[in-house]
Amino acid sequence: MTAPPAVPRPRDGGASGGRTRDPYFDNAKYLTIVLVACGHAWEPLTYGSRAATAIYLMVYAFHMPAFALISGYFSRSFDMAPGRVKRLLSGVVVPYVVFEVAYTLFYRWAQDDPGYPISLLDPWYVMWFLAALFIWRITTPLWLALRHPVPVALAVAALASISPEAGGDLGFQRVLAFLPFFVVGLTLRPDHFTRLRTRRVRLAALPVAAFALGTAYAVAPWMDAEWFYHRKSVAKLDGVPSWAGLLTTPALFGLALVLTACFLAWVPGRRTWFTALGSGTLYGYLLHGFIIKSSRFWDWYDHPWLHTPLGELTVTAAAVLMITALCTEPVRRVLRALVEPRMDWAFRRTGSSAAS
C-alpha cells in the first residue's frame, strides 16, 4: 500500500507562535475560503435551480465547520501569554472593530440610511466569525483543561439550540453552535491528518461525497438552509418543536465532521499555485462581503441569463476569481495596517511577550 503523505507539524505565526508555514494547511484555508465565497455567491441562484440548491446545501453543511475546526487546530497553544494576547487583540479584535464600522458605513451609503446604527455587539453579515473566534480562543485554556471537551462543547451547543435566548449579542447563537468544531480542532494532532490523507480514505471519501450530494438534491425542494446557518435557535424555527435541537445538533455535527474529513482528505499537501494565498484568507473573508452585499443591493442577479446552467458556472468562476484576488499580496500590502496592525505602541514590552 502507498505510504501516507507526511503532514509536518504546523507552525503558524498566529496562536502557535512559529514562523514556518505548512503548505497543507495553507491550501486547506484557501480552498475553504473559496467555498465560503461560492456559497455566498450561489445563494440567489437557489431560488430557481434545484441543482444549485443541492450544491449550496452540501457546501453549507460543512464549510464553516471546517473553518472553525482549522481555527481550533491553530489555537491549541493559546495560553493567554502576553504575546499571544497581543496577537489576538491586533489580529482579531481590531479588525472586528474596524470592519464592523466599515460595513455599517457601507450599508448607510448603499441603502441611503444614515441613521443605521453602529453596534459592536451585533455583528453585521460575515463579522460574526471574528467575534466567535475571539470568544473561542480566550476560552481555549478551559477546553484544554477538560477531560472530555468535545462532548461538553456539543452539549453546550445542543442546549443553546433549544434556548430562545441564545442569540443576540455578538452572534452568540452561532458562537455556541460552531463551538464543537473549534474544540475538535483543539484536540487534533498532526498524525490525525496523516491518517486522513491516505489513499484508502481519499477513495472512500468519493462515494460519501456523492451520496451526500444526491441526498442534498433529493431534499432540496423542502430543506431549509437555516438549519446550517445557526443564526437562531431551533426553538425559533417555524413548525419545529424546541426539543428537536437535542437531536438535530449532534446529527448535523456528525454530518459536518464526515464532510469536513472528505474535504480535508483531498486537500493537496504539496506547494501549489494557491498555497501562498492561504496566508491571506482573512483579507478575503473580510473584504468579499462588500462585493457580495453590493450584488444584493444593486440587483446584479436580476439578469435571467445568470440563472441558466452556463450563468451559474459563470457566477461560480467569478466568485473564485474574486476571492483569489482578495487574498493576494498586493491587497494584503495595502490593507495590512487595518487587518494585521502591529500595534507595538499599545503594549508594554515584556520578556514573555517577546519570547512568545
Side-chain angles (χ1 to χ4, degrees), residues 14-50:
S16 58
R19 296 185 182 278
T20 303
R21 303 187 68 94
D22 181 353
Y24 172 76
F25 291 101
D26 275 335
N27 292 339
K29 287 191 278 188
Y30 168 76
L31 294 174
T32 305
I33 199 64
V34 165
L35 292 179
V36 170
C38 287
H40 287 156
W42 289 334
E43 193 268 339
L45 303 177
T46 61
Y47 301 111
S49 171
R50 185 171 179 174

Side-chain angles (χ1 to χ4, degrees), residues 90-281:
S90 62
V92 177
V93 175
V94 171
Y96 173 79
V97 173
V98 169
F99 280 86
E100 181 64 29
V101 173
Y103 271 113
T104 303
L105 296 178
F106 172 69
Y107 181 90
R108 289 180 176 181
W109 169 72
Q111 296 295 91
D112 193 21
D113 184 5
Y116 190 79
I118 294 176
S119 174
L120 297 181
L121 297 181
D122 186 14
W124 199 79
Y125 196 38
V126 299
M127 298 309 299
W128 72 268
F129 188 80
L130 265 69
L133 184 58
F134 173 76
I135 295 172
W136 295 338
R137 191 161 285 176
I138 62 174
T139 60
T140 290
L142 167 64
W143 298 111
L144 293 179
L146 294 177
R147 188 180 296 272
H148 303 293
V150 175
V152 173
L154 187 58
V156 170
L159 291 175
S161 74
I162 64 174
S163 171
E165 304 299 328
D169 292 349
L170 295 177
F172 210 56
Q173 182 65 51
R174 280 173 161 172
V175 173
L176 297 181
F178 290 101
L179 171 65
F181 303 102
F182 180 84
V183 175
V184 167
L186 292 176
T187 67
L188 294 178
R189 298 293 180 266
D191 60 291
H192 291 120
F193 294 93
T194 301
R195 298 170 191 170
L196 186 65
R197 295 171 57 232
T198 62
R199 185 171 183 271
R200 178 179 300 177
V201 174
R202 285 179 170 175
L203 292 178
L206 296 177
V208 172
F211 177 78
L213 183 58
T215 302
Y217 187 84
V219 304
W222 55 266
M223 179 70 179
D224 187 354
E226 192 68 45
W227 285 100
F228 301 124
Y229 300 156
H230 299 292
R231 290 184 296 199
K232 52 188 176 182
S233 67
V234 172
K236 292 187 176 181
L237 295 176
D238 293 336
V240 180
S242 60
W243 54 262
L246 298 177
L247 301 178
T248 58
T249 298
L252 293 176
F253 174 76
L255 171 64
L257 280 188
V258 169
L259 293 179
T260 297
C262 293
F263 166 72
L264 292 176
W266 279 94
V267 171
R270 66 186 184 282
R271 292 195 65 84
T272 66
W273 65 266
F274 55 80
T275 298
L277 300 173
S279 60
T281 53

